[in-house]
Amino acid sequence: MKEREIYSHLKVFPPFAVRIDGRGFRRALDSLGLLKPYDERFAHAMADSVELFFKESGLNPLFAFTFSDEVSLFFHEMPYNNRVEKIDSIIPAFVSSALTIRLRLEKPVSFDSRIVLLGKEDIYKYLLWRQAETWRNHVSSYGYYTLLKSGMSENETAMSLKNMKASQIHELVFRHGINLAETPVWQRCGIMIYRESREKTGFNPLKQEEVKTQRKRIIQDWNLPIFKNEEGRKLIERLVS
Ligand SMILES: Nc1nc2c(ncn2[C@@H]2O[C@H](COP(=O)(O)OP(=O)(O)O)[C@@H](O)[C@H]2O)c(=O)[nH]1
Ligand SMILES: [Mg+2]
């Protein structure tokens, strides 16, 4: 029967990204009574689940980028012989489980998963794309909940939004007291999770000498620059190298 496992030899060559997205999270999160469109509690749970992945999964992502219910993780190495089936199953399973524990959910949740083949030089372009999506999602979800609060049905709201330009949504939301240029940075730019190396000076009592060691810690960056700008480009350059 082993020969029927016909996808088991499918492999991917690093570097690549894996993007996972919460399945049906619109409904799945209902029971939590989250603030709309953004709830810091949910964003923390997502970022903490990814941080736990860095610490406990045994896999070694370069860094990760998350907004809303999606996470992109970047890899330049992968155990399991780079097998697609392993990558696309273990990663969403780990994050689903971590999020379930973190949010104390009573019903199971799942993430879908896809592999994105990227040359080293494509990683920046990919991140520009996902951060642009973060921004679009930010504008449209504020627009959506503003219209909904003003008494429209879900269908009417979706229809109206489709016909509105971004600038019109900005104005609409502004009239309801929210300036979309001044919302928290994480809502507009997303959150990055990465390892940072720091040199630590210790003392070796046997040799009676100072020793320098590299300590790694995980950073959650909630104050990301716009990747298109110089500061953002430099950050990504540093993370990729
Ligand atoms: N209330 C709330 N919902 C969120 C938040 N972040 C993500 N979501 C929900 O997650 C959904 C993610 O979008 P999408 O993946 O397209 O929808 P899905 O197919 O239902 O998972 C959004 O539509 C929101 O309903 C948050 O901070 N607060
Ligand atoms: Mg989703």
Side-chain angles (χ1 to χ4, degrees), residues 94-154:
F94 189 103
V95 179
S96 307
S97 172
L99 189 74
T100 304
I101 296 169
R102 178 67 174 66
L103 285 173
R104 299 170 200 265
L105 297 174
E106 281 174 4
K107 288 188 179 166
V109 290
S110 53
F111 284 81
D112 67 23
S113 173
R114 70 199 66 197
I115 293 171
V116 189
L117 281 184
L118 296 171
K120 221 173 170 182
E121 65 289 352
D122 301 319
I123 294 178
Y124 179 61
K125 258 196 282 178
Y126 176 88
L127 281 163
L128 287 182
W129 175 45
R130 290 334 284 166
Q131 199 180 48
E133 196 60 35
T134 307
W135 172 251
R136 268 196 295 276
N137 183 64
H138 163 260
V139 174
S140 70
S141 54
Y142 267 105
Y144 183 85
Y145 285 107
T146 303
L147 288 176
L148 211 57
K149 260 193 277 177
S150 67
M152 279 190 186
S153 73
E154 287 190 2

Side-chain angles (χ1 to χ4, degrees), residues 20-26 68-70 110-112:
I20 61 174
D21 184 291
R23 174 170 170 252
F25 267 31
R26 209 176 134 72
S68 184
D69 68 339
E70 76 162 59
S110 53
F111 284 81
D112 67 23

